[in-house]
């Protein structure tokens, strides 16, 4: 193929790299021809030709017709038969060949070239009228389904009726009379459905129309939709391959099948597949023939089977990947009709990649590139089996917010979940929405199902962070907590009834589906360790609890990138202490409460330092407006009033003076520390005391980093820094130990990014809080703006949800600027990201490119991040 605009390309002119021009099928046929695999000869009409056809208002260029004619002559010479010849006709397969994966067109037309008239002399010359009629029947069937869009089932029904009438169990056993009546019934069916029209009875017209139907199918509405959904460019054409037929339906020494060079479910190195005796390709997708396993092939065609195994080995070695191979045996001779990289399960993807490295077929680099991040996600979470899901009763559909699968008894409160857990009962926590109070209880449940919320970051990060699978946005669901009832549509469930939810697809099922454990095995560990050797980006975890930190460590985290210290106060006992510190009527009470808070924090930090040993642990100082701890605490106000001997009114007044209209832009982040310096000093002291204690115990130094949230200026940091330094020297004196630490700033307010140069004077590292940063840069609320994002995506204003995948042009540009400005001030400034985006492969790729040092994601996302970071560097 030398010409720039090539319309037709013989099999011996192409190669596997030419998929853009020849489509995947056409390229595979050319490549196999090139390397000497037995392929029926033919030629491919290129995508270029189809583009020309579309461009000309769906008209065939006479030049193209001319080229086809000359290629057809060449083909006639190679095969030694003439197209349209009544006795020894060349019959053709016309097969559309898409240039992109993932689509089965099912529009190939077989046995092109036969007509009602020529089928009889053909039958006579063969001495087998049954076979000739079968070929003609197949032509009618494939032509009508492909070119007239008729349903395959209409034809299958007729075949099945005929089989029943003749009492045969396989279409291969139909008699000559049966085939004759099939042809007749088909013709009636086709005419009836097309205003009397029937398939062309002139071979040349048949061929050209078949080719055109191949072009046209690429513009069919359902294919258009598919292309759009997969982001296939509008102007990508389709190729159409024209190839000599081989006949798997000829006799008892013929057949057809598909096989995989390795098991596509388990990854085992063993050729497997299905084989149909006395059958042709499209029988694979109809139930016209009974499949046999490949073993049966050995018995029927020992020679062809031996050749086939050899061909499979050659193809796998040549393509260096698992292949799915379509083949036919024509009177004992093997022909290969297509080869393609095989689809496979996540488990098979890991196993085959690792095996192929060990067989020296591919490099480690390639193995790492072959694993998809969504497959890794699938491998590390528990799940239901496909069969179980297919057989289960679907009761509702929501949005998958956190992956995994769970079954359990319905509970409506975290407390209920906790109690059941202590008795070993699994639960699904069903609630209208996830509130911060629900947070600490969520981990007692096995799954969480909410009526409200799209895939809000909130639900996803909370549930995902705790390894709880979660389905949100299930509006059909109403909860009657008092009666202990859950209604979903017409169905009613009581507290304690079992349901099952899948955080992979958002489905809710009645009853208990078996949960399959996450896949945890050697091959997976191996490929992940190879991935680690290719990446420069470090992967840390957002962990607020020792459990999360421990889980993340098992999954390969290299430190804690974000430990949110406020999370530790999200339970009633500690929230009460926090409330008392904030509302304290006297300095003495205040001091007492702050002291108590410190004890809690020392305990928390100690455990996390122990788990992380010498790995870095970034602890973020209190972030939310402390008024969040006062909401819904009316009962406690009463208790406090009596504890302190003051009026309830007084407590309430103090509380309402702290009330803020907009907490997300209120007295939060570093502003808390500036308003309550004693609380900030307490936190710093707790960190240093915990670090000192663990250092003494381990005889190794923990590596604490203190992260200041919601910073907008270097001056804020300077004030905070002084308090922290004082706390450090206090601890140094009392513990007689110096704790090394670094001080860093969150970059989550646009001003911080814009003044990064000044902030870096005080901060030794940056951590990009991309959730808040996105919210503030885009002016889009991180909770409850799902409807805007949805509409904007429909209207093509946004391509992706900016809260899931980093907005590189906007937020990303600001990050890039901040990193650069920060490093101008402080060349060795460390920078990382701790927002939800840190678990998203595309965002990770961006972070890698702009020179961040680490990403910090949820525990469960650590393997995905490790892989994505490696792929970004390869
Ligand atoms: P699809 O893209 O839908 O898989 P194909 O073009 O691969 O369609 O054709 C479907 C089946 O038709 C093939 O698997 C094969 O068995 C049969 N087939 C295709 N080309 C030929 C041929 N030249 N001779 C015999 N059978 C063929
Ligand atoms: Mg195929
Ligand atoms: Mg934030």
């Amino acid at each position: 193929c030398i010409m720039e605009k090539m319309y037709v390309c013989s099999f011996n002119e192409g190669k596997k790299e030419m998929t853009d021009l020849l489509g995947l099928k056409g390229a595979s046929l050319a490549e196999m021809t090139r390397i000497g695999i037995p392929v029926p000869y033919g030629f491919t009409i290129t995508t270029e030709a189809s583009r020309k056809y579309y461009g000309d208002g769906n008209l065939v260029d006479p030049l193209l017709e001319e080229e086809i004619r000359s290629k057809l002559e060449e083909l006639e010479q190679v095969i030694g038969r003439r197209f349209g010849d009544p006795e020894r006709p060349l019959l053709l397969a016309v097969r559309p060949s898409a240039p992109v994966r993932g689509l089965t067109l099912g529009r190939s037309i077989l046995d092109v070239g036969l007509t009602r008239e020529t089928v009889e002399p053909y039958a006579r010359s063969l001495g087998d009228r049954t076979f000739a009629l079968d070929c003609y029947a197949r032509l009618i069937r494939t032509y009508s389904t492909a070119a007239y869009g008729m349903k395959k089932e209409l034809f299958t029904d007729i075949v099945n009726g005929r089989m029943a009438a003749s009492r045969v169990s396989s279409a291969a056993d139909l008699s000559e009379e049966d085939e004759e009546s099939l042809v007749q019934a088909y013709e009636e069916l086709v005419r009836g459905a097309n205003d009397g029209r029937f398939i062309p009875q002139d071979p040349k017209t048949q061929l050209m129309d078949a080719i055109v139907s191949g072009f046209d199918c690429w513009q069919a509405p359902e294919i258009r939709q598919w292309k759009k959904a997969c982001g296939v460019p509008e102007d990508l054409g389709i190729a159409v391959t024209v190839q000599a037929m081989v006949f798997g339906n000829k006799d008892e020494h013929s057949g057809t099948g598909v096989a995989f060079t390795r098991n596509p479910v388990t990854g085992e190195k063993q050729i497997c597949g299905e084989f149909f005796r006395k059958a042709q390709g499209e029988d694979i997708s109809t139930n016209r023939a009974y499949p046999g396993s490949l073993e049966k092939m050995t018995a029927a065609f020992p020679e062809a089977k031996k050749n086939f195994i050899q061909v499979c080995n050659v193809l796998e070695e040549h393509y260096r990947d698992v292949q799915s191979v379509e083949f036919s045996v024509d009177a004992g001779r093997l022909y290969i009709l297509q080869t393609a990289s095989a689809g496979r399960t996540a488990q098979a993807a890991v196993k085959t990649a690792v095996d192929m490295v060990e067989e020296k077929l591919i490099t480690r680099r390639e193995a790492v590139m072959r694993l998809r991040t969504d497959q890794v996600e699938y491998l590390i979470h528990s799940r239901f089996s496909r069969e179980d899901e297919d057989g289960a009763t679907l009761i509702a559909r929501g949005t998958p917010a956190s992956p995994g699968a769970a079954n359990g008894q319905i509970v409506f409160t975290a407390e209920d979940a906790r109690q059941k857990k202590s008795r070993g009962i699994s639960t699904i926590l069903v609630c209208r929405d996830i509130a911060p109070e629900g947070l600490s209880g969520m981990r007692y449940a096995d799954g969480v199902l909410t009526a409200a919320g799209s895939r809000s970051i909130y639900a996803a990060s909370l549930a995902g962070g705790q390894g709880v699978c979660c389905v949100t946005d299930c509006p059909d669901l109403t909860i009657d907590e008092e009666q202990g009832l859950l209604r979903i549509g017409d169905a009613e469930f009581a507290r304690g009834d079992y349901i099952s939810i899948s955080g992979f697809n958002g489905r809710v099922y009645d009853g208990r589906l078996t949960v399959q454990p996450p896949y945890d095995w050697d091959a997976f560990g191996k490929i992940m360790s190879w991935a680690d050797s290719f990446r420069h980006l470090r992967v840390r975890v957002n962990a607020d609890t020792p459990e999360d930190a421990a889980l993340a460590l098992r999954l390969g985290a290299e430190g804690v990138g974000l430990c949110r210290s406020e999370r530790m106060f999200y339970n009633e006992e500690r929230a009460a202490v926090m409330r008392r510190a904030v509302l304290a009527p006297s300095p003495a009470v205040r001091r007492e409460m702050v002291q108590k808070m410190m004890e809690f924090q020392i305990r928390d930090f100690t455990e996390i330092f122990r788990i992380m040993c010498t790995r870095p642990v970034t602890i973020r100082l209190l972030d939310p407006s402390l008024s969040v701890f006062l909401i819904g605490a009316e009962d406690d106000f009463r208790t406090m009033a009596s504890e302190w001997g003051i009026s309830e009114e007084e407590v309430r007044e103090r509380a309402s003076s702290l009330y803020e209209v907009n907490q997300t832009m209120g007295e939060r982040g570093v502003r808390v520390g500036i308003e309550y310096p004693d609380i900030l000093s307490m936190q710093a002291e707790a960190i240093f005391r915990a670090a000192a204690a663990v250092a003494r115990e381990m005889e190794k130094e923990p590596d604490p980093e203190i992260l200041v949230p919601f910073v907008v200026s270097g001056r804020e940091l300077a004030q905070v820094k002084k308090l922290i330094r004082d706390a450090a020297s206090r601890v140094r004196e009392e513990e007689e130990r110096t704790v090394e630490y670094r001080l860093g700033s969150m970059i989550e307010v646009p001003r911080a990014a814009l003044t990064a140069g000044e902030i870096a004077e005080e901060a030794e590292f940056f951590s990009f809080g991309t959730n808040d940063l996105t919210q503030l840069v885009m002016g889009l609320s991180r909770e409850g703006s799902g409807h805007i994002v949805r509409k904007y995506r429909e209207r093509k204003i946004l391509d992706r949800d900016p809260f899931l995948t980093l907005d590189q042009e906007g937020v990303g540009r600001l990050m890039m600027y901040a990193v650069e400005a920060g490093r101008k001030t402080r060349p060795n400034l460390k920078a990382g990201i701790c927002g939800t985006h840190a678990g998203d492969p595309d965002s990770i790729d961006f972070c890698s490119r702009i020179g961040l040092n680490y990403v910090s994601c949820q525990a469960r996302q650590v393997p995905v991040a490790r892989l994505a970071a490696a792929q970004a560097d390869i």
Side-chain angles (χ1 to χ4, degrees), residues 23-42:
L24 298 170
K25 202 179 286 168
S28 82
L29 290 166
E31 181 75 5
M32 288 193 289
T33 304
R34 204 175 64 77
I35 64 171
I37 303 277
V39 168
Y41 199 61

Side-chain angles (χ1 to χ4, degrees), residues 438-458:
L439 181 91
S440 58
M442 198 146 75
R443 74 195 140 101
Y444 298 118
D446 293 81
V448 175
L449 172 63
T450 74
S454 63
R455 180 175 166 157
S456 79
I457 314 178
Y458 203 46

Side-chain angles (χ1 to χ4, degrees), residues 182-442:
L182 276 188
V183 167
Q184 218 158 48
Y186 281 2
E187 180 163 347
E188 273 162 37
L189 173 72
V190 174
R191 286 195 194 281
N194 297 283
D195 303 322
R197 189 161 61 139
F198 191 52
I199 68 168
Q201 289 297 316
D202 159 55
K204 294 243 152 70
T205 316
Q206 225 175 59
L207 175 61
M208 280 318 295
D209 287 5
I211 292 168
V212 164
S213 93
F215 291 164
D216 289 342
C217 82
W218 199 230
Q219 297 187 317
E222 71 275 12
I223 303 280
R224 274 223 159 113
Q225 216 167 33
W226 178 87
K227 290 193 285 186
K228 209 166 126 191
C230 300
V232 175
E234 269 292 319
D235 63 344
L236 207 62
I238 191 167
V240 179
T241 284
V242 176
Q243 180 185 32
M245 282 295 297
V246 291
F247 300 97
N249 56 336
K250 189 177 278 171
D251 55 24
E252 295 304 325
H253 304 284
S254 307
T256 193
V258 274
F260 295 89
T261 56
R262 300 189 191 208
N263 188 313
V265 177
T266 62
E268 250 178 301
K269 190 175 179 183
Q270 179 195 41
I271 297 174
C272 59
E274 280 179 335
F275 179 74
F276 303 74
R277 75 179 173 95
K278 208 178 167 190
Q280 236 172 6
E282 16 92 65
D283 295 336
I284 293 171
S285 52
T286 67
N287 59 357
R288 207 170 168 225
Y290 287 105
S293 70
L294 281 184
E295 278 80 78
K296 289 217 179 104
M297 186 177 167
T298 320
F301 324 97
E303 197 58 30
K305 175 71 186 292
K306 231 173 52 205
N307 291 343
F308 184 60
I309 289 175
Q310 214 165 18
V311 166
C312 283
N313 292 336
V314 169
L315 286 175
E316 209 188 70
E317 215 162 292
H318 185 71
Y319 280 94
R320 302 162 70 244
D321 195 11
V322 185
Q323 299 291 296
S324 77
V325 185
E326 295 174 21
F327 66 98
S328 269
V329 178
D330 178 331
R333 269 193 71 177
L334 172 75
Y335 293 94
I336 306 300
L337 297 171
Q338 196 175 339
T339 189
S341 277
R344 66 206 77 172
T345 62
Q347 177 189 342
V350 170
K351 176 154 173 56
T352 55
V354 170
D355 284 352
M356 285 185 175
V357 168
E358 275 156 17
E359 294 159 25
K360 302 209 182 330
L361 204 53
I362 61 173
T363 62
R364 291 181 174 187
R365 204 176 275 272
E366 284 170 308
V368 169
M369 285 312 281
R370 266 183 201 182
L371 194 57
R372 295 199 318 265
T373 46
D374 61 307
Q375 292 174 319
V376 169
E377 189 160 306
Y378 194 71
L379 284 171
I380 61 160
H381 293 96
S382 49
R383 59 186 186 273
F384 300 133
S385 75
R386 166 82 61 83
E387 299 82 66
D388 281 1
E389 285 202 53
D390 286 347
T393 314
L394 184 69
I395 49 178
R397 263 168 205 268
T399 304
S402 165
N407 70 43
Q409 293 188 358
I410 295 172
V411 295
F412 299 113
T413 63
E415 176 52 23
D416 206 3
R418 194 187 60 76
Q419 282 181 13
K420 290 212 156 142
K421 187 179 175 111
S422 69
R423 287 185 284 139
I425 299 170
S426 64
T427 57
I428 305 290
L429 177 60
V430 182
C431 42
R432 283 183 202 97
D433 205 351
I434 296 175
E437 308 84 72
L439 181 91
S440 58
M442 198 146 75

Side-chain angles (χ1 to χ4, degrees), residues 150-211:
M150 290 180 67
K151 287 221 168 347
K152 239 178 211 159
E153 292 72 43
L154 296 172
F155 295 93
T156 319
D157 287 348
I158 294 176
V159 178
N160 287 341
R162 202 61 232 172
M163 277 163 54
S166 301
R167 296 168 202 277
V168 295
S169 58
S170 162
D173 299 328
L174 291 173
S175 68
E176 184 180 328
E177 291 70 46
D178 289 329
E179 293 291 354
E180 199 161 296
S181 82
L182 276 188
V183 167
Q184 218 158 48
Y186 281 2
E187 180 163 347
E188 273 162 37
L189 173 72
V190 174
R191 286 195 194 281
N194 297 283
D195 303 322
R197 189 161 61 139
F198 191 52
I199 68 168
Q201 289 297 316
D202 159 55
K204 294 243 152 70
T205 316
Q206 225 175 59
L207 175 61
M208 280 318 295
D209 287 5
I211 292 168

Side-chain angles (χ1 to χ4, degrees), residues 522-732:
D522 287 356
F524 185 52
K526 226 176 238 175
I527 200 164
M528 290 308 294
S529 75
W530 295 340
D532 291 343
S533 70
F534 294 117
R535 66 184 161 86
H536 82 273
L537 210 55
R538 302 287 99 198
V539 176
R540 298 204 208 166
V541 65
N542 294 353
D544 312 317
T545 61
E547 291 80 24
D548 262 0
L551 171 65
L553 204 57
R554 279 204 303 282
L555 295 173
E558 296 161 289
V560 171
L562 180 66
C563 172
R564 289 157 283 210
S565 57
E566 68 273 8
R567 295 275 166 109
M568 296 158 182
F569 292 91
Y570 285 163
N571 70 47
E572 189 41 40
E573 183 203 355
R574 292 189 178 193
V577 174
M578 172 79 85
R579 236 173 259 139
R580 280 160 179 73
V582 174
L583 300 177
S586 69
V589 173
R590 167 80 164 244
R591 263 198 305 280
E592 187 194 342
M593 291 301 139
V594 172
Q595 187 60 34
K596 261 197 182 159
M597 284 170 75
M598 178 153 78
E599 281 155 25
F600 294 141
Q601 297 259 272
I602 292 174
R603 233 184 294 150
D604 298 328
F605 300 148
T606 302
E607 273 195 73
I608 291 180
F609 286 141
R610 258 192 211 128
I611 290 165
M612 283 293 154
C613 196
T614 57
R615 297 176 185 84
V617 174
T618 309
I619 295 165
R620 187 180 69 186
L621 301 177
L622 288 172
D623 181 37
S625 157
L626 297 188
S627 64
V628 297
F629 292 96
L630 305 178
I631 293 164
E634 293 291 319
D635 288 351
D636 200 25
F637 289 170
R638 214 163 301 133
T639 319
M640 279 185 264
S642 68
E643 261 171 39
W644 295 333
I646 57 178
S647 78
E648 216 178 302
E649 200 42 45
E650 227 172 301
V651 179
R652 197 165 296 122
E653 241 166 54
R654 171 100 176 97
S656 60
S657 77
L658 293 170
Y659 173 79
E660 287 185 300
V661 181
N662 184 349
Q663 290 175 348
T664 53
M665 297 199 211
E667 194 164 85
R668 61 169 289 196
V670 65
R671 297 163 198 171
V672 174
I674 287 175
E675 175 67 15
Y676 305 90
D678 53 339
I679 291 182
L680 185 139
S681 299
M682 169 282 288
Q683 284 204 293
E685 195 174 322
I687 293 168
F688 297 136
R689 287 199 190 280
V694 173
R696 185 164 299 124
E697 163 191 312
M698 295 193 308
E699 296 183 0
K700 275 187 213 145
E701 302 293 328
D703 186 11
E705 297 184 327
I706 299 179
L707 179 58
V708 187
F710 224 67
V711 169
V712 301
S713 97
R715 292 196 212 171
E716 286 170 319
L717 266 184
Q719 294 202 7
V720 162
K721 198 174 189 173
K722 192 176 165 313
L723 292 170
I724 293 174
R725 206 182 293 136
D726 292 347
S729 49
R730 265 201 315 281
V731 174
R732 187 179 327 114

